């Protein structure tokens, strides 16, 4: 699924297959979309053209990146790319690298190293990226001790040193987002439950809160910021149910219904019949993309899944919304060319157009 979390068979070399984290389908200020994928040691980008077609793929460089990419976007619509790249020193060691695209279709800035959360070392987890209200980037990653670390941008350019956020035995793929106050939050699962890290003031080090005891399937996390400005985390429990947890709205997670698969969830908000709704996606056991929607922050409404698109052995998917508030979905199967669909304008319910390739 989108933002797939899969530990490699050989941890020293990072992800063994392409892994995507965050919103790898982004919308520019003018409304056009860009899609980003890691491929052959670099990142490639497709760009939606004014007439509705797509151009690409265009290389954004990377100089030997592993097949992993995390993407974050700020309110200024700048797109931040974080990858993993082998270092020139010890065999199997990697470092985080960062690049930014300021405008749709323009070249990305040069890739710059962020280093390793432990100074140097092998792959320890898949980074997650969030951008605060001031445009500062936060690159989170599980460290060698099993806790979380973050590298954050300074106000006047440059980066703070790595901040150790503490913790242990966390999910290798945490999720990060920016809440309605413009502050950054990070969510992960632990062997015994859920862990939240949250800023209490702009630019500050995120603080770790107490573990919430819960039954969590690692590698299934997704999160959105709701209309109240509060974050909601989605995950699968160990009974195969989709659960929702919004710490500022509810002390305990709420069951939404049975999952249709076992992989990671994707989540986004859009307008359906004039209402603000949250849409979840997951690859079904049959290999197709399944979608379910409910009124945002009304978790007691539950889920009703509907499948769409072709069957695949593995499917990465991402959800977002257009300038009109309608849902836009994109999938890529087994490292191939992405295909996309949109919510039909004026149609009742969550009705999609036909899927089409962007390549």
């Amino acid at each position: 699924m989108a933002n797939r979390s899969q530990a490699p068979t050989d941890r020293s070399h990072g992800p063994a297959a392409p892994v995507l984290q965050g919103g790898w389908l982004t919308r520019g200020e003018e409304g056009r979309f860009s899609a980003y994928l890691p491929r052959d040691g670099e990142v490639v980008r497709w760009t939606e053209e004014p007439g509705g077609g797509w151009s690409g793929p265009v290389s954004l460089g990377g100089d030997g990146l592993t097949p992993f990419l995390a993407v974050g976007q700020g309110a200024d619509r700048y797109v931040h790319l974080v990858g993993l790249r082998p270092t020139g020193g010890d065999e199997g060691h990697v470092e985080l690298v960062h690049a930014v695209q300021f405008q749709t279709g323009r070249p990305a800035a040069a890739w710059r190293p962020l280093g390793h959360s432990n100074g140097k070392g092998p792959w320890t987890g898949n980074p997650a990226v969030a951008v605060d209200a001031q445009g500062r980037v936060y690159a989170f990653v599980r460290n060698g001790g099993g806790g979380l670390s973050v590298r954050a941008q300074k106000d006047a350019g440059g980066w703070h040193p790595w901040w150790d956020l503490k913790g242990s035995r966390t999910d290798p793929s945490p999720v990060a987002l920016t809440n309605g106050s413009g502050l950054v939050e990070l969510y992960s699962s632990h062997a015994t439950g859920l862990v939240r890290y949250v800023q209490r003031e702009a630019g500050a080090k995120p603080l770790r809160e107490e573990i919430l005891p819960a039954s969590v399937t690692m590698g299934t996390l997704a999160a959105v910021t709701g209309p109240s400005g509060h974050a909601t985390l989605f995950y699968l429990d160990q009974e195969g149910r989709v659960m929702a947890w919004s710490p500022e709205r509810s002390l305990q997670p709420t069951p939404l219904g049975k999952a249709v698969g076992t992989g990671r969830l994707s989540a986004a908000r859009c307008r359906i019949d004039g209402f603000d709704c949250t849409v979840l996606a997951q690859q079904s056991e049959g290999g197709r993309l399944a979608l379910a929607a409910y009124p945002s922050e009304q978790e007691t409404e539950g889920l009703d899944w509907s499948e769409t698109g072709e069957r695949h052995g593995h499917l990465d998917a991402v959800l977002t919304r257009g300038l009109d508030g309608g849902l836009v979905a994109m999938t890529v199967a087994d490292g191939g060319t992405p295909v996309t669909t949109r919510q039909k304008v004026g149609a009742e319910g969550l009705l999609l157009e036909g899927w089409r390739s962007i390549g």
Side-chain angles (χ1 to χ4, degrees):
M1 272 313 303
N3 310 328
R4 175 163 47 117
S5 167
Q6 177 177 321
T9 54
D10 178 359
R11 284 187 46 156
S12 66
H13 289 83
V19 175
L20 297 167
Q21 178 93 319
W24 51 274
L25 175 65
T26 65
R27 175 172 54 82
E29 188 70 34
E30 75 295 327
R32 291 189 292 138
F33 287 93
S34 301
Y36 304 85
L37 290 180
R39 178 179 290 180
D40 299 327
E42 61 183 13
V43 172
V44 296
R45 183 198 67 217
W46 288 261
T47 303
E48 186 182 27
E49 298 301 326
W54 290 76
S55 62
V58 173
S59 171
L60 299 182
D63 192 22
L65 294 175
T66 68
F68 167 84
L69 182 65
V71 183
Q73 188 174 29
D76 54 14
R77 313 311 298 177
Y78 296 171
V79 178
H80 296 272
L81 311 172
V82 172
L84 294 166
R85 185 165 61 193
T87 63
D90 297 323
E91 176 68 22
H93 284 201
V94 296
E95 64 179 354
L96 272 65
V97 290
H98 167 262
V100 58
Q101 179 176 323
F102 298 105
Q103 291 180 301
T104 304
R106 302 296 297 170
W111 291 89
R112 304 292 185 188
L114 299 181
H116 191 284
S117 57
N118 293 104
K120 64 177 183 177
W123 177 89
T124 54
N126 299 326
V129 184
V131 185
D132 70 12
Q134 288 74 39
R136 292 175 294 228
V137 181
Y138 296 75
F140 298 90
V141 69
R142 188 175 68 167
N143 55 43
L148 276 299
S149 295
V150 63
R151 192 97 196 262
Q153 277 188 324
K154 297 179 180 179
D155 291 335
W159 296 77
H160 291 286
W162 283 98
W163 292 333
D164 185 355
L165 304 182
K166 308 300 180 182
S168 65
R169 296 187 292 170
T170 60
D171 193 318
S173 279
V175 294
L177 79 170
T178 305
N179 62 32
S181 299
L183 302 175
V184 168
E185 300 190 26
L186 178 78
Y187 291 85
S188 184
S189 59
H190 179 271
T192 62
L194 296 167
V195 188
R196 180 195 189 204
Y197 299 77
V198 60
Q199 285 182 320
R200 294 304 180 188
E201 59 183 66
K205 177 179 176 180
L207 301 176
R208 179 176 178 265
E209 298 184 338
E210 292 296 320
I211 294 172
L212 177 71
S215 165
V216 185
T217 301
M218 285 194 176
T220 62
L221 308 182
V224 296
T225 299
S228 69
H230 299 316
T232 301
L233 176 73
F234 303 96
Y235 64 95
L236 268 60
D237 69 7
Q238 294 181 7
E239 298 177 5
R241 296 181 301 175
V242 179
M243 306 292 291
W245 179 46
S246 183
E248 301 294 337
R249 296 189 294 113
S250 177
L251 294 178
Q252 295 295 323
T254 301
L256 295 178
K258 194 72 175 176
V260 291
T262 58
R264 192 164 188 172
L265 299 162
S266 301
R269 287 167 51 207
C270 70
R271 304 291 295 182
I272 301 176
D273 298 334
F275 295 97
D276 188 307
C277 294
T278 296
V279 182
L280 298 180
Q282 188 182 41
Q283 186 177 11
S284 71
E285 290 184 357
R288 301 176 71 196
L289 182 68
L291 300 174
Y294 72 94
S296 292
E297 299 185 336
Q298 297 181 35
E299 284 78 18
T300 56
E301 293 293 320
L303 297 177
D304 185 14
W305 295 97
S306 178
E307 296 188 18
T308 179
E310 301 293 328
R311 290 177 170 83
H312 298 280
H314 175 80
L315 198 65
D316 282 299
V318 63
L319 306 177
T320 187
R321 58 181 171 182
L323 280 177
D324 62 356
L327 182 74
V328 180
M330 184 171 284
T331 67
V332 58
D334 302 318
T337 299
V339 295
T340 187
T341 185
R342 295 174 183 252
Q343 184 178 349
K344 280 191 175 182
V345 177
E348 293 186 1
L350 183 57
L351 188 62
L352 302 178
E353 299 177 350
W355 289 89
R356 60 191 182 101
S357 172
I358 69 171

